[in-house]
Amino acid sequence: MTAGGGGVAGRTTIILDAEVLRAQTASLGQHGALIARAASDAGATMPGTAFGTMNSYLPGPINALAGNADALLSIVGQMLDHMRDGVDGIFTAFDTIEAEASAKIAELEP
């Protein structure tokens, strides 16, 4: 799909490769799902006796770190979802513009 226009600023042409955009959307979706699984795993907590009675002070800070990692990975997953939605939105918008322009041109042709 392409877009361009007249005038000095319109001398540029935008070419969007549908297959590349679909592949990018799929890749972002796959990576988002992978990050979501990692966030779930990172947030797993360990019991207070994980390192034995003498080292019972260790699980608390480790669990806090795991919670922070879970939160960070969840945010990264959300960002990937937004990026996927944005790429898909660009593709849809340009596809609509191209279809409407083609329809108008077809109306003008004898």
Side-chain angles (χ1 to χ4, degrees), residues 18-103:
E19 292 304 315
V20 170
L21 288 175
R22 285 188 190 106
Q24 185 68 20
T25 299
S27 176
L28 288 166
Q30 291 167 353
H31 285 88
L34 180 66
I35 291 293
R37 284 193 302 275
S40 176
D41 291 342
T45 59
M46 57 180 63
T49 58
F51 296 102
T53 305
M54 289 183 62
N55 295 313
S56 61
Y57 63 92
L58 288 174
I62 292 172
N63 287 338
L65 180 61
N68 289 339
D70 178 16
L72 179 62
L73 288 170
S74 293
I75 291 169
V76 171
Q78 291 171 7
M79 289 173 51
L80 287 169
D81 288 342
H82 291 306
M83 290 170 63
R84 182 198 65 224
D85 293 344
V87 170
D88 193 42
I90 289 169
F91 175 71
T92 301
F94 271 95
D95 193 36
T96 301
I97 291 167
E98 187 173 48
E100 290 173 357
S102 295

